[in-house]
Amino acid sequence: VAYLITDQSGNTSSTGGWLSGVPTVFRHKLSMLVGFKFNTFKDYENGHDGSTGKKYTQSDITYLVTKIEITGYPQQGTFIVNAPAAGSIGQWNVAASSPKYDYTWYNNDSGLRIPYQSSGATAVEANSLAGGKTYLYLLPQQFTSEDAKLKITYIKRTYKEDGSVDNKAKTTAEVSLKDLFAASGNRLVMNRKITVNITFNNDSNLI
């Protein structure tokens, strides 16, 4: 509730207390990808980090992230407004012919080391989005195909007996966003801030 006050050049106080208005809840029609966090299933580096007294050995494995991409993502749709209801503001209908876009979240040819953390994880901040942005707005939608994908390029670095690097080849793993959001019915839900958590598991050869 508001009153129109004319000829006012500053804030004024009221002795009448707060006025009761119409309750308003803001919900964004899009969702925002705000981060990626990485960890390893266990300490594959065995307490080593390459520093003095902690040199790598032949039994160590280091994971490094070099690139994070989202590819084939539809970003155009028609918004259908629902009648006002708690938790429901409408939905996006995305045509199969909707233009698809590719985004690079992170790119570092040398790779970012992912150490094991018993609590917490390593955040990989965006460094390659247009305009230097640190977030990405995504069109909420029901994924009916596996065209839109998350791609992670990484190095599984191994070592020789003397501690020098044995393998530094890059590998790209990918998952469809349809599968990534299986828990929400293969759907990217509206009005969310999304952080993707990823764990390297050498025991099962999985990410």
Side-chain angles (χ1 to χ4, degrees):
V1 176
Y3 291 121
L4 176 64
I5 301 177
T6 60
D7 300 324
Q8 183 170 327
S9 59
N11 294 329
T12 61
S13 59
S14 171
T15 59
W18 292 103
L19 299 176
S20 297
V22 178
T24 302
V25 177
F26 175 80
R27 294 187 177 92
H28 206 293
K29 290 181 180 179
L30 302 178
S31 280
M32 181 190 290
L33 179 62
V34 297
F36 288 86
K37 291 185 177 181
F38 287 80
N39 204 352
T40 60
F41 180 69
K42 65 182 183 182
D43 185 8
Y44 297 116
E45 295 181 305
N46 301 302
H48 302 141
D49 59 13
S51 63
T52 302
K54 295 183 178 181
K55 297 297 183 182
Y56 292 114
T57 67
Q58 193 172 19
S59 60
D60 298 338
I61 297 172
T62 299
Y63 284 96
L64 304 100
V65 174
T66 63
K67 199 171 188 179
I68 303 173
E69 303 168 274
I70 292 177
T71 62
Y73 196 92
Q75 287 279 53
Q76 182 175 311
T78 302
F79 187 72
I80 309 299
V81 179
N82 292 344
S88 178
I89 59 174
Q91 65 180 6
W92 288 98
N93 286 347
V94 180
S97 59
S98 171
K100 296 177 175 59
Y101 297 86
D102 298 339
Y103 302 96
T104 299
W105 177 273
Y106 179 80
N107 193 10
N108 177 0
D109 193 61
S110 299
L112 177 66
R113 173 177 166 262
I114 307 299
Y116 171 72
Q117 297 186 49
S118 58
S119 61
T122 299
V124 180
E125 306 291 344
N127 70 358
S128 297
L129 294 176
K133 288 185 172 59
T134 57
Y135 57 86
L136 178 63
Y137 279 114
L138 295 174
L139 187 73
Q141 58 194 274
Q142 180 76 48
F143 296 107
T144 57
S145 74
E146 298 189 353
D147 293 342
K149 297 181 183 298
L150 169 63
K151 296 182 179 181
I152 306 295
T153 302
Y154 65 96
I155 298 170
K156 177 182 172 182
R157 192 166 66 190
T158 55
Y159 302 89
K160 298 178 182 178
E161 188 173 353
D162 62 0
S164 60
V165 175
D166 185 28
N167 173 63
K168 55 181 180 181
K170 295 178 182 176
T171 300
T172 298
E174 63 180 48
V175 61
S176 71
L177 296 189
K178 179 181 179 181
D179 290 339
L180 185 65
F181 291 103
S184 58
N186 310 115
R187 181 168 63 102
L188 177 59
V189 180
M190 194 182 305
N191 189 45
R192 296 288 189 272
K193 287 187 176 181
I194 301 163
T195 299
V196 180
N197 294 285
I198 297 171
T199 300
F200 291 107
N201 186 340
N202 186 66
D203 293 3
S204 302
N205 196 29
L206 295 173
I207 296 181

